[in-house]
C-alpha cells in the first residue's frame, strides 16, 4: 500500500515551525508495519496544495494531508482539495453545533468566521476532533488501475495542531488504514527503551548474542535520545513472532534494569507507577534543573498521590527556607557539592514526611563554572529511610539538554531504588 | 526563483529521525528573502530518488538534495541522479587524496568502500566538506523555457549529517544562490508573536484595517501554537519595506500588548528580561502546573538572578508548608479557588521577600472535576506590593496542553504587570 503525506503550511517552508508531524506519523505507521512512500511540504497556496494532491493521486493509495482546516484566510486546504476533486462544500449542522458548544464550554465568544469549519465536501466522512473546532475529513478517491486494496483508496485531511491531530490519527485514521491494508500477521516489532548506557556500548553487548536472529532476518536499530537509547527489533515473515521473542529475551538478559520500558513508555510514568504500587511518596528539591523533574513527574496522571511537593531552590536562602539546608553546609562546601545535595534531599524528605527525598544541585551554565567544578557538574542525592546516596556526573551540554539529562539521571536513580526495594517473588 | 528541497533517507519516513534540515534550510533562505517552494522526503531507493528529482526538474530553478552521499550500501543519491541526468561518474584523484588524509589524520584504517565518495558526475562542481569525507556536488541543469535567471539553474547535492551540511550550505550553497537570484531588496518579512487572543479573533480585528496593504500584495499568515498565535506579514516588490512597515504599525496598534515579541522571541525570555531590567524578582507556588512555569523561566540564562524560588505545592500540606496558606482558607474555599491562589501568591512572595508572587491552582484532569469546577478550571494569582489580581479560565485540554496553556497565561500576567509598571518615557 502506497501512503503519501502532504504537510501544508508556509511556516514549514520558512522554517518557523519544525515538521514534527512527519516523524510522529512515520512512527505510527511503522508500528503497524507500514511505511510512508513520500512526504511533501507545500505552502498554504491554492496552486501548491492542488499540485501536490494531483501528483500524489497519480501514485498513492492513501493520501494524508495536515493543516489548513482552520478558520483564517490562509486555511484553504479543505476548499482547494474539494475544488480539485470537483466536490461541492455543504455546511453540516451537527458540526456547527459542536463548534458552538466548544466556545460555550470555554465561556468564550464565537467569531462567525469559525463556522467555515463546518463545511464538508459531498461524500466525505467527518472525523471528529475532540480537542479543537476543525473536524477531519475522509474522501474516497477513484480507484487506480490494477489495485488490490480491500476498500476504495482515500484522501484524509487532518488539522495541523499536534494535540488535535495525534488523537484523531489514532482514533480515526488507523482504523481506516486497517480497512485498506493487507494483513499484518507477518510483522513483529518491539522497541525496548533504555537509559544510562550509550548506543555503541549496547550494540557491542547485544549484537554478538543476536547473531542467529540476524541471520534469520532480524533487523536491529538504535535511536539515541537525550539520556536514553531505544533499541528497535523488527522481524518479518512466517517466523516473525518467534524470532522477535527470542531476540527480546536476549536483549533483556544483557541489558537488565537499564531497560525501563517498551514502545511509548516514559521513564517518569515508570517512577509514578512504582511509587504507586509501593504506596510510597517523594518530595524534591531542585536547583539546577529548575523544576523540570517535578514537571515531568506531574505530567503523569496519578502523580498527585505520590509526588508530595517539589521546591525549586535556586538561591541559597530558598535552599534553607524550603529544604532546611544548614547555612553552615552551604558555607563550608558550597551550593554545588555532594554535601548540599544530601542536605537538600534529606531536608525536603523530612519537611514533607516523604518516603524518598531528591536533591539536585549543579552548574547548568553557560557561566558559573570553575576549574574544580566545571560547567555541567551535577550532584543528585536520593534520601530514604536507610540512608542517602549521591550520584555525580559532568553533564556538559547546553542548558536545556543539561536539564533533560540530569532529570533522566535523577528519575533513574529513584527507579532503581524502587526496583531494588520490591519484595522478591 | 523556485527552490525545491529533496531530503533522501528511509529513516525520515520511518520517523526514526526528525527532519531538522527542512527547518534550518528554510530559515537560512528566509533570511535572504528566498522561500522554499516545496520540500519532499523520499526513501533511499533508486526509483524514489529519481522520481522526486524528475518531478522537481519540471518546476524548479534550484534543486537541493540532502543525504545519500556516504559510503554504505544505502547511499545511492549521487549514482542515481547521475544516471537520471545521463552523466558519467569519474573518480577524482584530488578527492581520493583528501579522503585518505582524513583517515590518516584520525589514525583510523580506511575501508576501500569509502573511495566511492570520490566519484564525480561529469561537469559537476565539487563542494568541499570540511567535516566529513563526502564532498557536495553542484550540477548545471538545462534551462527552463522563459527563465529570467542570471546563470544556469542548478542541482546541488549535500551530505546528510547536520554538522557537515550546515557549514557547506553557508560556505558553498549561499554564494551559488546569490549568483542566480534576482536582487533581494524587494522582500520584507516580520513575524509578530501574540498570546491571549485566538487566531480568528486576531484576523477579525486586523484584516479590515490591512485592506490597503492586502490590495498592494501584503501576505498575512497565522500560526497557532499552544496558547500563542504568530502573525506573519510578508511584502514583495519595490514597495515591500514600506508596505510591511505600514502593516506592522497597524497590527501593533490593534493588538497592543498582546504582542510579546518578534521572530524567535520566547515569552519566558521576555519575562526574565523585563524582571532584569526592572531589577525585580519573582517567586512561584505552582500546583496544577507542577513546576512547568518555573522550568520555562529557568531555561533562560540569567534566570537565577530574578527567579528566587518555585514551589510545587500539589498537596494541601505543601501549600501550607511552602506558601504559608492558612488551612482555614483551604477548608472554606477549597484548594482550587481564587482565595487559595491568592494566598499561595501572597504567601510565597512574603516567604522569599520577592517583588512578585505567582500562585497557580486548578484541575489538570483527567479526573477531579465537579459541575461547578469542571476539569480545566484554573486560578492564577499575581501578588505585588500594591495588591493581588486573579486570572481565571477554563483550560479544557489534555494534561500537558493544560499545563502549557496555563503556564502561558501566568507568564503573560506577570509580563503585562511588568509592562504596566515601567516608567513612562
Amino acid at each position: 500500500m502506497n501512503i503519501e503525506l502532504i504537510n501544508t503550511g508556509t511556516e514549514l517552508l520558512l522554517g518557523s515551525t519544525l515538521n514534527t508531524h512527519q516523524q510522529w506519523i512515520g512512527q505510527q505507521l511503522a508500528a503497524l508495519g507500514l511505511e510512508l512512500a513520500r512526504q511533501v511540504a507545500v505552502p498554504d497556496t491554492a496552486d501548491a496544495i492542488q499540485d501536490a494532491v494531483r501528483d500524489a493521486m497519480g501514485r498513492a493509495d492513501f493520501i494524508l494531508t495536515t493543516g489548513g482546516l482552520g478558520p483564517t484566510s490562509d486555511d484553504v486546504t479543505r476548499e482547494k482539495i474539494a475544488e480539485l476533486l470537483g466536490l461541492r462544500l455543504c455546511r453540516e449542522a451537527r458540526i456547527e453545533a459542536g463548534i458552538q458548544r466548544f466556545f460555550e464550554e470555554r465561556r468564550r465568544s464565537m467569531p462567525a468566521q469559525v463556522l467555515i469549519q463546518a463545511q464538508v465536501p459531498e461524500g466525505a466522512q467527518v472525523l471528529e476532533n475532540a480537542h479543537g473546532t476543525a473536524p477531519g475529513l475522509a474522501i474516497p478517491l477513484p480507484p487506480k488501475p490494477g489495485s488490490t486494496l480491500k476498500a476504495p483508496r482515500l484522501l484524509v485531511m487532518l488539522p495541523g495542531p499536534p494535540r488535535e491531530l495525534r488523537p484523531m490519527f489514532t482514533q480515526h485514521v488507523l482504523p481506516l488504514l486497517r480497512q485498506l491494508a493487507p494483513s499484518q500477521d507477518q510483522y513483529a516489532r518491539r522497541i525496548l527503551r533504555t537509559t544510562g548506557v550509550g548506543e555503541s556500548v549496547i550494540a557491542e553487548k547485544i549484537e554478538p548474542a543476536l547473531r542467529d536472529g540476524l541471520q534469520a532476518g532480524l533487523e536491529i536499530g538504535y535511536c539515541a535520545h537525550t539520556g536514553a537509547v531505544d533499541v528497535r527489533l523488527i522481524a518479518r515473515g512466517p517466523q516473525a513472532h518467534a524470532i522477535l521473542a527470542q531476540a527480546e529475551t536476549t536483549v533483556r538478559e544483557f541489558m537488565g534494569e537499564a531497560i525501563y520500558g517498551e514502545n511509548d513508555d516514559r521513564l517518569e510514568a515508570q517512577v509514578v507507577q512504582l511509587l504507586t504500587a509501593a504506596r510510597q511518596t517523594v518530595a524534591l528539591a531542585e536547583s539546577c534543573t529548575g523544576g523540570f523533574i517535578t514537571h515531568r513527574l506531574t505530567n503523569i496522571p496519578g502523580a498527585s498521590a505520590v509526588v508530595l511537593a517539589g521546591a525549586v531552590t535556586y538561591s541559597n536562602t530558598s535552599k534553607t527556607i524550603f529544604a532546611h539546608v544548614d547555612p553552615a553546609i552551604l558555607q563550608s562546601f558550597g551550593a554545588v557539592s555532594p554535601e548540599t545535595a544530601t542536605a537538600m534531599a534529606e531536608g525536603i524528605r523530612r519537611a514533607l514526611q516523604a518516603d524518598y527525598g531528591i536533591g539536585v544541585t549543579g552548574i547548568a551554565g553557560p557561566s558559573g563554572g570553575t576549574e574544580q567544578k566545571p560547567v555541567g557538574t551535577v550532584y543528585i542525592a536520593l534520601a530514604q529511610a536507610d540512608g542517602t546516596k549521591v550520584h555525580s556526573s559532568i553533564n556538559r551540554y547546553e542548558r536545556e539538554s543539561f536539564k533533560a539529562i540530569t532529570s533522566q539521571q535523577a528519575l533513574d536513580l529513584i527507579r532503581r531504588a524502587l526496583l531494588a526495594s520490591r519484595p522478591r517473588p
Side-chain angles (χ1 to χ4, degrees), chain A:
Chain A
M1 181 162 62
N2 181 318
I3 307 172
E4 296 200 13
L5 173 63
I6 300 173
N7 304 113
T8 72
T10 303
E11 68 278 9
L12 295 170
L13 296 148
L14 289 174
S16 323
T17 302
L18 186 60
N19 188 356
T20 54
H21 286 333
Q22 176 191 347
Q23 179 174 42
W24 189 84
I25 290 168
Q27 288 172 344
Q28 302 302 306
L29 293 173
L32 293 181
L34 299 171
E35 243 172 61
L36 275 181
R38 183 187 282 228
Q39 170 269 335
V40 179
V42 289
D44 298 310
T45 63
D47 286 351
I49 294 172
Q50 291 187 340
D51 285 352
V53 172
R54 196 182 295 113
D55 287 357
M57 283 177 63
R59 297 179 298 257
D61 299 313
F62 195 98
I63 302 171
L64 181 62
T65 72
T66 68
L69 302 184
T72 56
S73 55
D74 60 346
D75 290 312
V76 298
T77 304
R78 182 193 303 103
E79 182 191 340
K80 291 303 162 187
I81 289 180
E83 184 183 286
L84 176 73
L85 299 175
L87 300 173
R88 267 181 316 185
L89 286 165
C90 314
R91 275 209 177 185
E92 198 160 306
R94 201 173 54 80
I95 306 178
E96 282 203 5
I99 295 173
Q100 277 159 346
R101 201 166 48 244
F102 183 94
F103 279 84
E104 278 162 23
E105 280 172 1
R106 285 156 183 82
R107 295 175 201 169
R108 285 159 48 189
S109 69
M110 186 188 80
Q113 178 66 10
V114 299
L115 290 180
I116 199 173
Q117 298 170 113
Q119 302 245 354
V120 173
E122 50 186 347
Q125 180 186 343
V126 173
L127 311 176
E128 205 188 326
N129 179 350
H131 300 88
T133 50
L137 298 164
I139 303 178
L141 297 176
K144 271 197 315 190
S147 168
T148 60
L149 294 180
K150 297 191 290 176
R153 60 193 191 126
L154 285 176
L155 182 149
V156 173
M157 297 179 233
L158 293 183
R163 71 189 163 80
E164 301 179 22
L165 176 139
R166 293 183 180 193
M168 292 172 79
F169 185 90
T170 310
Q171 197 185 337
H172 304 303
V173 180
L174 289 184
L176 292 172
L177 279 166
R178 281 199 204 93
Q179 277 175 29
L180 262 75
S183 161
Q184 296 304 320
D185 285 345
Q186 309 207 326
Y187 177 88
R189 191 177 77 125
R190 179 72 29 92
I191 292 174
L192 297 173
R193 313 199 79 173
T194 74
T195 186
V197 191
E199 65 178 325
S200 52
V201 176
I202 297 177
E204 247 181 27
K205 277 193 178 187
I206 65 175
E207 291 198 6
L210 289 172
R211 203 164 17 209
D212 290 354
L214 290 167
Q215 276 168 1
L218 177 73
E219 298 164 29
I220 313 181
Y222 303 91
C223 187
H225 307 280
T226 309
V229 176
D230 292 344
V231 180
R232 187 179 63 237
L233 304 169
I234 294 178
R236 300 171 206 270
Q239 298 303 310
H241 291 280
I243 293 169
L244 188 84
Q246 177 59 51
E248 181 177 348
T249 305
T250 305
V251 176
R252 287 190 178 276
E253 198 175 295
F254 278 86
M255 301 308 302
E257 288 185 355
I259 297 170
Y260 67 83
E262 295 177 10
N263 302 322
D264 295 328
D265 289 348
R266 292 158 75 171
L267 184 56
E268 52 270 40
Q270 205 68 12
V271 170
V272 168
Q273 191 188 311
L274 287 166
L275 283 167
T276 307
R279 297 168 188 274
Q280 297 206 296
T281 57
V282 65
L284 303 97
E286 301 184 53
S287 182
C288 56
T289 44
F292 188 56
I293 307 172
T294 311
H295 164 56
R296 286 182 63 179
L297 286 169
T298 58
N299 278 344
I300 308 303
S304 55
V306 294
V307 179
L308 296 186
V312 180
T313 56
Y314 247 41
S315 58
N316 281 352
T317 315
S318 63
K319 289 184 181 67
T320 300
I321 293 181
F322 289 148
H324 307 295
V325 176
D326 185 343
I329 289 182
L330 291 164
Q331 182 73 34
S332 312
F333 302 102
V336 178
S337 63
E339 291 81 4
T340 295
T342 300
M344 288 165 69
E346 294 178 353
I348 201 83
R349 175 176 179 272
R350 226 172 19 244
L352 275 298
Q353 300 188 289
D355 298 299
Y356 290 92
I358 292 178
V360 185
T361 181
I363 305 165
S367 61
T370 64
E371 199 167 327
Q372 277 207 320
K373 291 176 185 169
V375 165
T377 300
V378 70
Y379 300 100
I380 306 171
L382 178 72
Q384 37 187 139
D386 60 358
T388 301
K389 67 184 87 166
V390 181
H391 165 100
S392 73
S393 59
I394 297 177
N395 298 333
R396 196 174 186 145
Y397 301 96
E398 50 69 36
R399 202 171 169 96
E400 292 183 41
S401 303
F402 168 89
K403 285 171 97 173
I405 288 183
T406 305
S407 71
Q408 199 73 1
Q409 291 165 341
L411 292 170
D412 199 37
L413 200 61
I414 185 169
R415 180 182 70 91
R416 286 177 188 255
L418 283 158
L419 287 177
S421 70
R422 279 194 303 191
R424 299 277 152 189

